[in-house]
Amino acid sequence: MRTPQQSSEANILPLIVEPETLQEHLDDPQLLIIDVPKDSGSYTQGHVPGAIFLESRRLMNGQAPLPSEAPDVAALSALFSELGLTRDTHVVAYDDEGGGFAARLLWTLELIGHPRYSYLNGGIHAWRAAGLAVQTEPNTPTPSTYHAEILNPETRITADEIKERLGEKNLAIWDARSPAEYRGETGQNKRLGHIPGAVNMEWTRAMDPERNLRIRGYAELVNELDTLGITQDMDVVTHCQGHHRSAFTWLVGRALGFNIRGYAGSWNEWGNRDDTPVET
Ligand SMILES: O=S(=O)([O-])[S-]
């Protein structure tokens, strides 16, 4: 089992940071707070002071046959240079929808081995609910030169690697889509259903609606995953339709100390190939 990432000397903040803690660090020059909202209007209506805006689609390749795969390293280098990252930057990501888009940014940073990042637990909902001030004027990033490389390839897994490992006792597949998608009752791909052996726990079940969409209590989550057959000694793969909801379940898995990888091709790829096994 991996140890959940904790605050260390190198990390200004823990992996999952609460609004009040972030508020105390807003003046830290190494922090770069990035708002990746579902609704871009949410940034202009009010963001965490100092936060810059990132359009979530820039975290996806966008091209067939793997539209939800990460952009290539040239595009990621250009993106993170534009946003002003350096290797010393501690990125704090958040969104307005419970964590999918913010987590997609953090998954991408993990893939390229960026050393320091955090998720603002509950995003702008939790920030506002804590009574903290928001800023409405946009912030402009100061560009930098950032060279992205895939330093942590084990952050993701391909369809072919999953196919090869299907049936292994040590492999758990966490499908973060809705139960209807999992059962193949809805969807737009050539084939509907799920990867054989995958278990379904929709991403929203890892959020606490009573606590402004913060991540649910860790002990409770570990128990729930355990009842589904996902335990901390397994290799866990998570996916959804386009690795947005499952970026969040990847982050939750990381916070819980799971050895977890994101299948970025997700159902966009699996459901459109002819050689991938499907169950309903
Ligand atoms: O959340 S999603 O990538 O499945 S559309």
Side-chain angles (χ1 to χ4, degrees):
M1 167 182 160
R2 258 167 106 145
T3 312
Q5 185 186 323
Q6 297 292 337
S7 203
S8 69
E9 270 175 28
N11 276 339
I12 303 167
L13 297 170
L15 176 60
I16 309 297
V17 62
E18 296 302 323
E20 296 79 1
T21 309
L22 177 60
Q23 158 76 20
E24 285 165 18
H25 287 82
L26 285 184
D27 292 335
D28 191 317
Q30 288 188 322
L31 279 196
L32 181 65
I33 306 173
I34 307 185
D35 185 338
V36 202
K38 177 173 185 181
D39 167 11
S40 60
S42 134
Y43 180 79
T44 37
Q45 279 154 24
H47 45 266
V48 172
I52 59 171
F53 170 76
L54 171 63
E55 222 181 326
S56 61
R57 69 171 179 79
R58 300 200 56 198
L59 297 166
M60 310 267 176
N61 164 348
Q63 297 181 10
L66 287 169
S68 44
E69 190 43 92
D72 62 25
V73 287
L76 289 175
S77 297
L79 173 63
F80 292 130
S81 298
E82 181 186 318
L83 296 178
L85 262 73
T86 70
R87 294 297 290 180
D88 291 334
T89 305
H90 189 120
V91 175
V92 178
Y94 73 90
D95 61 39
D96 58 338
E97 54 124 32
F101 289 115
R104 178 70 200 219
L105 169 58
L106 302 184
W107 176 83
T108 309
L109 292 174
E110 177 66 25
L111 182 67
I112 61 170
H114 187 80
R116 304 197 293 176
Y117 59 78
S118 302
Y119 168 62
L120 170 58
N121 202 5
I124 197 69
H125 295 293
W127 182 269
R128 286 180 182 274
L132 299 170
V134 294
Q135 178 190 8
T136 49
E137 314 78 60
N139 295 298
T140 311
T142 309
S144 61
T145 303
Y146 192 96
H147 296 290
E149 286 174 68
I150 306 297
L151 294 179
N152 289 331
E154 70 285 357
T155 306
R156 62 182 171 187
I157 187 165
T158 65
D160 290 337
E161 287 172 298
I162 295 174
K163 269 176 72 183
E164 258 172 43
R165 295 196 55 188
L166 282 182
E168 273 182 29
K169 284 202 169 47
N170 192 38
L171 181 76
I173 303 177
W174 177 355
D175 185 333
R177 298 175 301 161
S178 69
E181 289 169 284
Y182 174 82
R183 292 192 297 262
E185 293 161 6
T186 177
Q188 291 169 353
N189 299 87
K190 275 207 288 202
R191 291 176 312 142
L192 304 180
H194 55 265
I195 300 176
V199 294
N200 183 216
M201 177 169 155
E202 191 169 5
W203 71 311
T204 49
R205 278 168 60 193
M207 295 170 202
D208 187 346
E210 307 288 314
R211 295 180 61 243
N212 301 290
L213 305 182
R214 283 179 174 85
I215 297 173
R216 260 174 63 200
Y218 289 3
E220 219 184 314
L221 277 171
V222 168
N223 277 340
E224 184 159 348
L225 287 164
D226 192 85
T227 59
L228 292 171
I230 303 182
T231 54
Q232 284 158 308
D233 54 347
M234 300 177 92
D235 291 343
V236 184
V237 168
T238 187
H239 82 89
C240 57
Q241 179 70 33
H243 199 38
H244 145 250
R245 290 172 284 183
S246 58
F248 179 71
T249 46
W250 169 83
L251 176 68
V252 169
R254 282 277 278 128
L256 297 177
F258 283 75
N259 179 22
I260 189 163
R261 303 170 77 175
Y263 169 35
S266 272
W267 205 260
N268 278 332
E269 181 192 21
W270 196 275
N272 277 346
R273 277 174 61 155
D274 296 319
D275 62 344
T276 42
V278 170
E279 255 176 14
T280 50

PDB file of all heavy atoms in Angstrom, residues 60 68 97 100-101 104 176-177 181 203 239-247 264 266-268, ligand 1:
ATOM      1  N   MET A  60      -6.841  17.712 -22.679  1.00  0.00           N
ATOM      2  CA  MET A  60      -7.166  16.524 -23.473  1.00  0.00           C
ATOM      3  C   MET A  60      -6.531  16.656 -24.855  1.00  0.00           C
ATOM      4  O   MET A  60      -6.452  17.753 -25.401  1.00  0.00           O
ATOM      5  CB  MET A  60      -8.681  16.412 -23.703  1.00  0.00           C
ATOM      6  CG  MET A  60      -9.514  16.549 -22.467  1.00  0.00           C
ATOM      7  SD  MET A  60      -9.853  14.937 -21.769  1.00  0.00           S
ATOM      8  CE  MET A  60     -10.726  15.421 -20.286  1.00  0.00           C
ATOM      9  N   SER A  68      -9.488  11.527 -25.337  1.00  0.00           N
ATOM     10  CA  SER A  68      -9.343  11.899 -23.926  1.00  0.00           C
ATOM     11  C   SER A  68      -7.959  11.574 -23.363  1.00  0.00           C
ATOM     12  O   SER A  68      -7.723  11.735 -22.171  1.00  0.00           O
ATOM     13  CB  SER A  68     -10.438  11.250 -23.085  1.00  0.00           C
ATOM     14  OG  SER A  68     -10.628   9.899 -23.422  1.00  0.00           O
ATOM     15  N   GLU A  97     -17.254  21.893  -9.704  1.00  0.00           N
ATOM     16  CA  GLU A  97     -18.147  20.758  -9.945  1.00  0.00           C
ATOM     17  C   GLU A  97     -17.794  19.521  -9.148  1.00  0.00           C
ATOM     18  O   GLU A  97     -18.203  18.429  -9.528  1.00  0.00           O
ATOM     19  CB  GLU A  97     -18.155  20.429 -11.438  1.00  0.00           C
ATOM     20  CG  GLU A  97     -16.766  20.200 -11.986  1.00  0.00           C
ATOM     21  CD  GLU A  97     -16.581  18.872 -12.651  1.00  0.00           C
ATOM     22  OE1 GLU A  97     -17.545  18.360 -13.236  1.00  0.00           O
ATOM     23  OE2 GLU A  97     -15.465  18.339 -12.574  1.00  0.00           O
ATOM     24  N   GLY A 100     -13.630  16.919 -10.796  1.00  0.00           N
ATOM     25  CA  GLY A 100     -13.207  16.180 -11.986  1.00  0.00           C
ATOM     26  C   GLY A 100     -12.182  16.933 -12.827  1.00  0.00           C
ATOM     27  O   GLY A 100     -11.148  16.382 -13.215  1.00  0.00           O
ATOM     28  N   PHE A 101     -12.458  18.200 -13.085  1.00  0.00           N
ATOM     29  CA  PHE A 101     -11.541  18.947 -13.949  1.00  0.00           C
ATOM     30  C   PHE A 101     -10.247  19.297 -13.216  1.00  0.00           C
ATOM     31  O   PHE A 101      -9.157  19.229 -13.793  1.00  0.00           O
ATOM     32  CB  PHE A 101     -12.219  20.199 -14.504  1.00  0.00           C
ATOM     33  CG  PHE A 101     -13.277  19.863 -15.524  1.00  0.00           C
ATOM     34  CD1 PHE A 101     -14.608  20.137 -15.295  1.00  0.00           C
ATOM     35  CD2 PHE A 101     -12.932  19.225 -16.702  1.00  0.00           C
ATOM     36  CE1 PHE A 101     -15.584  19.802 -16.232  1.00  0.00           C
ATOM     37  CE2 PHE A 101     -13.896  18.880 -17.648  1.00  0.00           C
ATOM     38  CZ  PHE A 101     -15.223  19.173 -17.406  1.00  0.00           C
ATOM     39  N   ARG A 104      -8.155  16.278 -13.143  1.00  0.00           N
ATOM     40  CA  ARG A 104      -7.558  15.987 -14.450  1.00  0.00           C
ATOM     41  C   ARG A 104      -6.238  16.768 -14.598  1.00  0.00           C
ATOM     42  O   ARG A 104      -5.258  16.268 -15.145  1.00  0.00           O
ATOM     43  CB  ARG A 104      -8.558  16.345 -15.555  1.00  0.00           C
ATOM     44  CG  ARG A 104      -8.063  16.134 -16.954  1.00  0.00           C
ATOM     45  CD  ARG A 104      -7.924  14.669 -17.308  1.00  0.00           C
ATOM     46  NE  ARG A 104      -7.027  14.529 -18.431  1.00  0.00           N
ATOM     47  CZ  ARG A 104      -7.173  13.673 -19.428  1.00  0.00           C
ATOM     48  NH1 ARG A 104      -8.175  12.833 -19.459  1.00  0.00           N
ATOM     49  NH2 ARG A 104      -6.310  13.611 -20.407  1.00  0.00           N
ATOM     50  N   ALA A 176     -15.972   4.627 -12.988  1.00  0.00           N
ATOM     51  CA  ALA A 176     -16.519   5.781 -12.262  1.00  0.00           C
ATOM     52  C   ALA A 176     -17.750   6.375 -12.948  1.00  0.00           C
ATOM     53  O   ALA A 176     -18.224   7.442 -12.563  1.00  0.00           O
ATOM     54  CB  ALA A 176     -15.422   6.845 -12.130  1.00  0.00           C
ATOM     55  N   ARG A 177     -18.265   5.666 -13.958  1.00  0.00           N
ATOM     56  CA  ARG A 177     -19.430   6.187 -14.681  1.00  0.00           C
ATOM     57  C   ARG A 177     -20.719   5.904 -13.888  1.00  0.00           C
ATOM     58  O   ARG A 177     -20.704   5.270 -12.836  1.00  0.00           O
ATOM     59  CB  ARG A 177     -19.509   5.550 -16.073  1.00  0.00           C
ATOM     60  CG  ARG A 177     -18.306   5.864 -16.959  1.00  0.00           C
ATOM     61  CD  ARG A 177     -18.390   5.091 -18.274  1.00  0.00           C
ATOM     62  NE  ARG A 177     -18.442   3.660 -18.022  1.00  0.00           N
ATOM     63  CZ  ARG A 177     -18.862   2.755 -18.886  1.00  0.00           C
ATOM     64  NH1 ARG A 177     -19.284   3.134 -20.082  1.00  0.00           N
ATOM     65  NH2 ARG A 177     -18.866   1.473 -18.570  1.00  0.00           N
ATOM     66  N   GLU A 181     -24.667   3.688 -17.455  1.00  0.00           N
ATOM     67  CA  GLU A 181     -23.576   3.539 -18.442  1.00  0.00           C
ATOM     68  C   GLU A 181     -22.870   2.204 -18.234  1.00  0.00           C
ATOM     69  O   GLU A 181     -22.547   1.494 -19.180  1.00  0.00           O
ATOM     70  CB  GLU A 181     -22.557   4.682 -18.291  1.00  0.00           C
ATOM     71  CG  GLU A 181     -23.052   6.036 -18.755  1.00  0.00           C
ATOM     72  CD  GLU A 181     -22.087   7.144 -18.314  1.00  0.00           C
ATOM     73  OE1 GLU A 181     -22.095   7.519 -17.124  1.00  0.00           O
ATOM     74  OE2 GLU A 181     -21.304   7.615 -19.156  1.00  0.00           O
ATOM     75  N   TRP A 203     -18.442   8.302  -9.563  1.00  0.00           N
ATOM     76  CA  TRP A 203     -17.514   9.275  -8.940  1.00  0.00           C
ATOM     77  C   TRP A 203     -18.176  10.112  -7.857  1.00  0.00           C
ATOM     78  O   TRP A 203     -17.550  10.432  -6.849  1.00  0.00           O
ATOM     79  CB  TRP A 203     -16.888  10.160 -10.011  1.00  0.00           C
ATOM     80  CG  TRP A 203     -17.779  11.173 -10.670  1.00  0.00           C
ATOM     81  CD1 TRP A 203     -19.016  10.953 -11.197  1.00  0.00           C
ATOM     82  CD2 TRP A 203     -17.496  12.562 -10.871  1.00  0.00           C
ATOM     83  NE1 TRP A 203     -19.517  12.112 -11.732  1.00  0.00           N
ATOM     84  CE2 TRP A 203     -18.603  13.117 -11.553  1.00  0.00           C
ATOM     85  CE3 TRP A 203     -16.413  13.384 -10.577  1.00  0.00           C
ATOM     86  CZ2 TRP A 203     -18.660  14.468 -11.913  1.00  0.00           C
ATOM     87  CZ3 TRP A 203     -16.464  14.732 -10.946  1.00  0.00           C
ATOM     88  CH2 TRP A 203     -17.584  15.254 -11.595  1.00  0.00           C
ATOM     89  N   HIS A 239     -11.436   4.379 -14.705  1.00  0.00           N
ATOM     90  CA  HIS A 239     -11.791   5.008 -15.981  1.00  0.00           C
ATOM     91  C   HIS A 239     -13.240   5.468 -15.938  1.00  0.00           C
ATOM     92  O   HIS A 239     -14.002   5.098 -15.035  1.00  0.00           O
ATOM     93  CB  HIS A 239     -11.583   4.031 -17.152  1.00  0.00           C
ATOM     94  CG  HIS A 239     -12.740   3.093 -17.307  1.00  0.00           C
ATOM     95  ND1 HIS A 239     -13.845   3.393 -18.082  1.00  0.00           N
ATOM     96  CD2 HIS A 239     -12.986   1.891 -16.759  1.00  0.00           C
ATOM     97  CE1 HIS A 239     -14.707   2.385 -18.006  1.00  0.00           C
ATOM     98  NE2 HIS A 239     -14.215   1.462 -17.206  1.00  0.00           N
ATOM     99  N   CYS A 240     -13.614   6.244 -16.926  1.00  0.00           N
ATOM    100  CA  CYS A 240     -15.016   6.648 -17.091  1.00  0.00           C
ATOM    101  C   CYS A 240     -15.245   6.712 -18.600  1.00  0.00           C
ATOM    102  O   CYS A 240     -14.845   5.797 -19.328  1.00  0.00           O
ATOM    103  CB  CYS A 240     -15.301   7.967 -16.378  1.00  0.00           C
ATOM    104  SG  CYS A 240     -14.253   9.345 -16.906  1.00  0.00           S
ATOM    105  N   GLN A 241     -15.858   7.772 -19.081  1.00  0.00           N
ATOM    106  CA  GLN A 241     -16.042   7.923 -20.527  1.00  0.00           C
ATOM    107  C   GLN A 241     -14.829   8.608 -21.158  1.00  0.00           C
ATOM    108  O   GLN A 241     -14.386   8.236 -22.237  1.00  0.00           O
ATOM    109  CB  GLN A 241     -17.310   8.754 -20.786  1.00  0.00           C
ATOM    110  CG  GLN A 241     -17.618   9.022 -22.240  1.00  0.00           C
ATOM    111  CD  GLN A 241     -18.048   7.770 -22.979  1.00  0.00           C
ATOM    112  OE1 GLN A 241     -18.681   6.871 -22.412  1.00  0.00           O
ATOM    113  NE2 GLN A 241     -17.702   7.674 -24.251  1.00  0.00           N
ATOM    114  N   GLY A 242     -14.316   9.644 -20.465  1.00  0.00           N
ATOM    115  CA  GLY A 242     -13.230  10.428 -21.062  1.00  0.00           C
ATOM    116  C   GLY A 242     -12.186  10.877 -20.043  1.00  0.00           C
ATOM    117  O   GLY A 242     -11.529  11.891 -20.231  1.00  0.00           O
ATOM    118  N   HIS A 243     -12.045  10.099 -18.976  1.00  0.00           N
ATOM    119  CA  HIS A 243     -11.071  10.363 -17.915  1.00  0.00           C
ATOM    120  C   HIS A 243     -11.145  11.779 -17.346  1.00  0.00           C
ATOM    121  O   HIS A 243     -10.140  12.461 -17.153  1.00  0.00           O
ATOM    122  CB  HIS A 243      -9.645  10.066 -18.374  1.00  0.00           C
ATOM    123  CG  HIS A 243      -8.706   9.887 -17.205  1.00  0.00           C
ATOM    124  ND1 HIS A 243      -9.060   9.248 -16.039  1.00  0.00           N
ATOM    125  CD2 HIS A 243      -7.418  10.296 -17.018  1.00  0.00           C
ATOM    126  CE1 HIS A 243      -8.042   9.272 -15.195  1.00  0.00           C
ATOM    127  NE2 HIS A 243      -7.039   9.905 -15.758  1.00  0.00           N
ATOM    128  N   HIS A 244     -12.391  12.155 -17.076  1.00  0.00           N
ATOM    129  CA  HIS A 244     -12.617  13.385 -16.326  1.00  0.00           C
ATOM    130  C   HIS A 244     -13.181  12.985 -14.962  1.00  0.00           C
ATOM    131  O   HIS A 244     -12.579  13.240 -13.919  1.00  0.00           O
ATOM    132  CB  HIS A 244     -13.549  14.293 -17.146  1.00  0.00           C
ATOM    133  CG  HIS A 244     -14.508  15.097 -16.336  1.00  0.00           C
ATOM    134  ND1 HIS A 244     -15.865  14.869 -16.316  1.00  0.00           N
ATOM    135  CD2 HIS A 244     -14.283  16.113 -15.487  1.00  0.00           C
ATOM    136  CE1 HIS A 244     -16.450  15.723 -15.480  1.00  0.00           C
ATOM    137  NE2 HIS A 244     -15.519  16.487 -14.968  1.00  0.00           N
ATOM    138  N   ARG A 245     -14.305  12.227 -14.951  1.00  0.00           N
ATOM    139  CA  ARG A 245     -14.829  11.727 -13.679  1.00  0.00           C
ATOM    140  C   ARG A 245     -13.798  10.807 -13.020  1.00  0.00           C
ATOM    141  O   ARG A 245     -13.623  10.815 -11.804  1.00  0.00           O
ATOM    142  CB  ARG A 245     -16.156  10.976 -13.909  1.00  0.00           C
ATOM    143  CG  ARG A 245     -17.295  11.903 -14.308  1.00  0.00           C
ATOM    144  CD  ARG A 245     -18.539  11.137 -14.717  1.00  0.00           C
ATOM    145  NE  ARG A 245     -18.440  10.543 -16.042  1.00  0.00           N
ATOM    146  CZ  ARG A 245     -19.419   9.874 -16.634  1.00  0.00           C
ATOM    147  NH1 ARG A 245     -20.574   9.693 -16.007  1.00  0.00           N
ATOM    148  NH2 ARG A 245     -19.266   9.383 -17.844  1.00  0.00           N
ATOM    149  N   SER A 246     -13.119  10.013 -13.852  1.00  0.00           N
ATOM    150  CA  SER A 246     -12.151   9.073 -13.255  1.00  0.00           C
ATOM    151  C   SER A 246     -10.840   9.753 -12.894  1.00  0.00           C
ATOM    152  O   SER A 246     -10.020   9.163 -12.175  1.00  0.00           O
ATOM    153  CB  SER A 246     -11.903   7.880 -14.173  1.00  0.00           C
ATOM    154  OG  SER A 246     -11.430   8.274 -15.431  1.00  0.00           O
ATOM    155  N   ALA A 247     -10.609  10.976 -13.357  1.00  0.00           N
ATOM    156  CA  ALA A 247      -9.450  11.705 -12.826  1.00  0.00           C
ATOM    157  C   ALA A 247      -9.712  11.973 -11.350  1.00  0.00           C
ATOM    158  O   ALA A 247      -8.810  11.891 -10.507  1.00  0.00           O
ATOM    159  CB  ALA A 247      -9.224  12.997 -13.594  1.00  0.00           C
ATOM    160  N   ALA A 264      -6.801   6.724 -19.505  1.00  0.00           N
ATOM    161  CA  ALA A 264      -7.251   7.965 -20.135  1.00  0.00           C
ATOM    162  C   ALA A 264      -8.065   7.709 -21.402  1.00  0.00           C
ATOM    163  O   ALA A 264      -8.963   8.474 -21.746  1.00  0.00           O
ATOM    164  CB  ALA A 264      -6.048   8.852 -20.446  1.00  0.00           C
ATOM    165  N   SER A 266     -10.245   5.490 -21.767  1.00  0.00           N
ATOM    166  CA  SER A 266     -11.571   5.312 -21.174  1.00  0.00           C
ATOM    167  C   SER A 266     -12.574   4.732 -22.185  1.00  0.00           C
ATOM    168  O   SER A 266     -12.185   4.130 -23.192  1.00  0.00           O
ATOM    169  CB  SER A 266     -12.053   6.628 -20.552  1.00  0.00           C
ATOM    170  OG  SER A 266     -11.612   6.725 -19.211  1.00  0.00           O
ATOM    171  N   TRP A 267     -13.873   4.895 -21.880  1.00  0.00           N
ATOM    172  CA  TRP A 267     -14.857   4.236 -22.750  1.00  0.00           C
ATOM    173  C   TRP A 267     -14.865   4.824 -24.163  1.00  0.00           C
ATOM    174  O   TRP A 267     -15.261   4.176 -25.132  1.00  0.00           O
ATOM    175  CB  TRP A 267     -16.264   4.253 -22.141  1.00  0.00           C
ATOM    176  CG  TRP A 267     -17.059   3.118 -22.697  1.00  0.00           C
ATOM    177  CD1 TRP A 267     -17.993   3.166 -23.695  1.00  0.00           C
ATOM    178  CD2 TRP A 267     -16.934   1.732 -22.350  1.00  0.00           C
ATOM    179  NE1 TRP A 267     -18.450   1.900 -23.987  1.00  0.00           N
ATOM    180  CE2 TRP A 267     -17.811   1.006 -23.163  1.00  0.00           C
ATOM    181  CE3 TRP A 267     -16.137   1.040 -21.416  1.00  0.00           C
ATOM    182  CZ2 TRP A 267     -17.925  -0.378 -23.085  1.00  0.00           C
ATOM    183  CZ3 TRP A 267     -16.262  -0.321 -21.327  1.00  0.00           C
ATOM    184  CH2 TRP A 267     -17.151  -1.020 -22.169  1.00  0.00           C
ATOM    185  N   ASN A 268     -14.392   6.077 -24.289  1.00  0.00           N
ATOM    186  CA  ASN A 268     -14.248   6.667 -25.628  1.00  0.00           C
ATOM    187  C   ASN A 268     -13.459   5.738 -26.532  1.00  0.00           C
ATOM    188  O   ASN A 268     -13.720   5.643 -27.736  1.00  0.00           O
ATOM    189  CB  ASN A 268     -13.455   7.978 -25.561  1.00  0.00           C
ATOM    190  CG  ASN A 268     -14.314   9.149 -25.153  1.00  0.00           C
ATOM    191  OD1 ASN A 268     -15.510   9.143 -25.400  1.00  0.00           O
ATOM    192  ND2 ASN A 268     -13.689  10.136 -24.516  1.00  0.00           N
TER     193      ASN A 268
HETATM  194  O1  LIG B   1     -16.540  12.539 -17.251  1.00  0.00           O
HETATM  195  S1  LIG B   1     -16.308  11.926 -18.536  1.00  0.00           S
HETATM  196  O2  LIG B   1     -14.942  12.046 -18.998  1.00  0.00           O
HETATM  197  O3  LIG B   1     -16.720  10.502 -18.513  1.00  0.00           O
HETATM  198  S2  LIG B   1     -17.429  12.763 -19.821  1.00  0.00           S
END
